[in-house]
Amino acid sequence: MENKKYINQQVEDTFKSLDAIEKVDVNHFFKHKILQKLDAEKVEKQSVFSWFTPQLQLATLSVVLLLNLGTIFYAFNNSDKSANSNSSIEAFAKEYSLQSDSSSILN
């Protein structure tokens, strides 16, 4: 019973102390100032590809396209030599036993 009275007294003392707390008047710019300080302290993370600017992207794309066009031009200009290359491909296949006369998969 003594313990219950002690707990009730503690609860009442706590509520009295809460009633004694006065409202604090704060400058209405307080929140704005704090947010500005936080923004000033914030460290911005650098992007990994920040150096890969749109100009560099365009230059890279043009180089890749030029290489592809050069490859296609080279491939179609050497089409007259395809008869010679076919015979060399057949010789290569025959040398390494890549040609098979049977239809067996295990050959």
Side-chain angles (χ1 to χ4, degrees):
M1 198 70 170
E2 185 82 24
N3 195 16
K4 194 171 189 179
K5 285 182 183 179
Y6 178 73
I7 292 174
N8 286 336
Q9 183 63 35
Q10 292 291 326
V11 170
E12 287 179 31
D13 290 342
T14 305
F15 282 127
K16 285 179 186 175
S17 67
L18 289 176
D19 291 337
I21 296 175
E22 296 178 12
K23 183 179 178 184
V24 178
D25 292 326
V26 180
N27 187 356
H28 58 281
F29 290 115
F30 179 73
K31 179 182 174 185
H32 182 67
K33 288 179 184 178
I34 295 296
L35 289 176
Q36 278 184 336
K37 286 182 182 178
L38 287 174
D39 284 340
E41 292 176 1
K42 185 178 12 173
V43 177
E44 290 193 26
K45 194 174 185 182
Q46 289 284 342
S47 176
V48 176
F49 295 110
S50 62
W51 56 270
F52 202 52
T53 61
Q55 292 88 358
L56 188 58
Q57 291 174 4
L58 185 62
T60 305
L61 179 66
S62 62
V63 167
V64 168
L65 286 176
L66 285 174
L67 285 174
N68 284 337
L69 289 174
T71 304
I72 290 171
F73 181 74
Y74 179 76
F76 284 122
N77 269 352
N78 288 334
S79 63
D80 58 336
K81 299 176 186 176
S82 65
N84 188 17
S85 66
N86 280 343
S87 63
S88 64
I89 290 174
E90 289 172 7
F92 177 81
K94 199 177 276 186
E95 182 72 31
Y96 289 100
S97 302
L98 297 176
Q99 289 180 339
S100 174
D101 295 334
S102 69
S103 61
S104 174
I105 296 175
L106 299 175
N107 243 358

